[in-house]
Amino acid sequence: MKKILLTEDQMPQQWYNVLPDLPTPLAPYLHPETLQPLKPEDLAPMLPQAIIDQEFSSQRWIDIPDPVRDLYRMWRPSPLYRADRLERALDTPARIYFKYEGVSPAGSHKPNTAIPQAFYNAEEGIRRLTTETGAGQWGSALSFAGSLFGLDVVVYMVKTSYEAKPYRRLLMQTWGAEVHPSPTSLTDAGRKILAENPESPGSLGIAISEAIEDALAREDTNFALGSAMNHVVLHQTVIGLEARKQLELVDDYPDVVVGCVGGGSNFAGLTFPFMPDRLSGARPTRFVAAEPAACPTLTRGTYGYDYPDTAKLGPLLPMRTVGHGFVPAPIHAGGLRFHGDAPTLCLLHDQGYVEARAYQQNEVFAEAIRFARSEGFVMAPESSHALRGAVEEALAARESGTPQVILFGLSGHGHFDLAAFDAFLAGELEDFDTNAEEIERALAELPRVPL
Ligand SMILES: *Cc1c(COP(=O)(O)O)cnc(C)c1O
């Protein structure tokens, strides 16, 4: 195993914004009530101005503020590894690299955006942040970032995860956050769901509704989103910018880049810095998005406008979606259960620049175990989807005898997911067939607005 490091000075000074480089302009977001194009000021009740500016920016490079870079230095630049022991285990001529984001205090890539979001909110006088969390990684990242800036953080955590993942909750509470199992009786959105079904397991869409409602109700409170929107994707580009430099150090450039997709932020963060070379025709690099078969957004969803949340409080986003009412099966990769994906990623997928594949949990856990036994790291179930995609590429390279260069994103460690590994090792992990009717039912609820 070879580790490729950058010095702190080599950490990017700017984030890369893909918006001005997209092959066609991104369709506007729409206001959830009027269905008219969203104006930047519509977001002011829930986001700080600096973040709103970034969300709509057409500037290709955006400076990373010094206080944010100082905090990034706690764990950045993150290491890039050559997985030569895995290559040998697979008997492949491919060179496999992975960018490891599990070194952050919260254990995933999410602090890359949690820190700038907390920073800009604190700068603008906000005292309290609300957010949603599924598996708990985003909630922990924001709790960590909030603690650095003295902000109160309130997390609406999907109830099934709250019950299944007590250690994630404890991590958030350790950083000082208030954590509620969602749906709660604290918001109209939550009370409405509970009235229909007191046993509701919750969903990301419901938790987002609760967090937005809470933020809208208070002057001192803003909302922070962990994925999908342009500003989140922007902040995550530190991953790919570093990886590019690290590959340059060993004279390599990827033929294929693979990432897992929940809302698309780590995938976009890793791949977008390579995208201009592909868009200009300078490089034929392929980009492969790996998603769970239980929430098959890119592989089986529809490209159109949809709400980010169940209560329809957030703006309509132009994205590929399985419908805001879709409740995915309870897979262990909780971070991949969002019904839509980042609009920029969906556009690039629609235009043929991004391929997508869906995997079942047993096949991804089998890869995570093989990886742990060859490369040592125990990765998150989410990241294991990217690994599965990378291994498929490496096996194809073996078939064809081509020394492909494969880069994949290892978005987080799996230390809080050992119960899932336990289930896999005991042969008790379920694969889920998502039935077409469920998706169709959820898609029937899409707003009737053409994209
Ligand atoms: C949240 C999370 C994901 C999925 O979110 P994206 O926005 O798609 O990146 C993937 N991996 C890990 C470790 C996560 O915590």
Side-chain angles (χ1 to χ4, degrees), residues 1 44 54-56 62 66 75 85 115 144-145 158 166 182 197 204 214 236 274 290 341 343 383-384 437-438:
M1 180 199 268
Q54 291 179 353
E55 188 60 32
F56 294 94
I62 295 181
D66 284 339
W75 75 95
R85 292 176 56 90
I115 285 181
F144 157 60
V158 177
S182 162
N197 176 13
L204 220 46
D214 181 333
Q236 293 295 354
F274 296 95
D341 286 323
S383 319
S384 312
E437 278 153 43
E438 259 172 277

Side-chain angles (χ1 to χ4, degrees), residues 84-127:
D84 47 7
R85 292 176 56 90
L86 176 65
E87 291 166 16
R88 283 198 290 281
L90 297 170
D91 188 25
T92 176
R95 298 197 285 289
I96 307 175
Y97 295 91
F98 63 95
K99 179 71 167 161
Y100 187 48
E101 292 294 309
V103 285
S104 78
S108 76
H109 65 289
K110 296 217 168 69
N112 296 335
T113 183
I115 285 181
Q117 291 196 50
F119 166 75
Y120 291 122
N121 275 292
E123 284 274 282
E124 295 183 27
I126 288 296
R127 310 287 302 265

Side-chain angles (χ1 to χ4, degrees), residues 108-110 137 226-227 260-267 335-336 380 382-383 411-412:
S108 76
H109 65 289
K110 296 217 168 69
Q137 286 113 324
S227 190
C260 65
V261 173
S265 74
N266 89 88
F267 177 86
L336 304 186
E382 290 83 357
S383 319
S411 50

Side-chain angles (χ1 to χ4, degrees), residues 46-47 51 55 110 113-114 117 121 129-132 138 142 204 208 211-212 222-233 235 265 308-309 315 317 338:
M46 49 176 157
L47 298 177
I51 292 281
E55 188 60 32
K110 296 217 168 69
T113 183
Q117 291 196 50
N121 275 292
L129 289 176
T130 64
T131 197
E132 85 296 344
W138 169 241
L142 195 72
L204 220 46
I208 296 176
I212 294 181
N222 268 345
F223 167 67
L225 193 69
S227 190
M229 289 182 77
N230 297 337
H231 64 273
V232 179
V233 165
H235 301 152
S265 74
D309 64 311
L317 305 178
F338 185 54

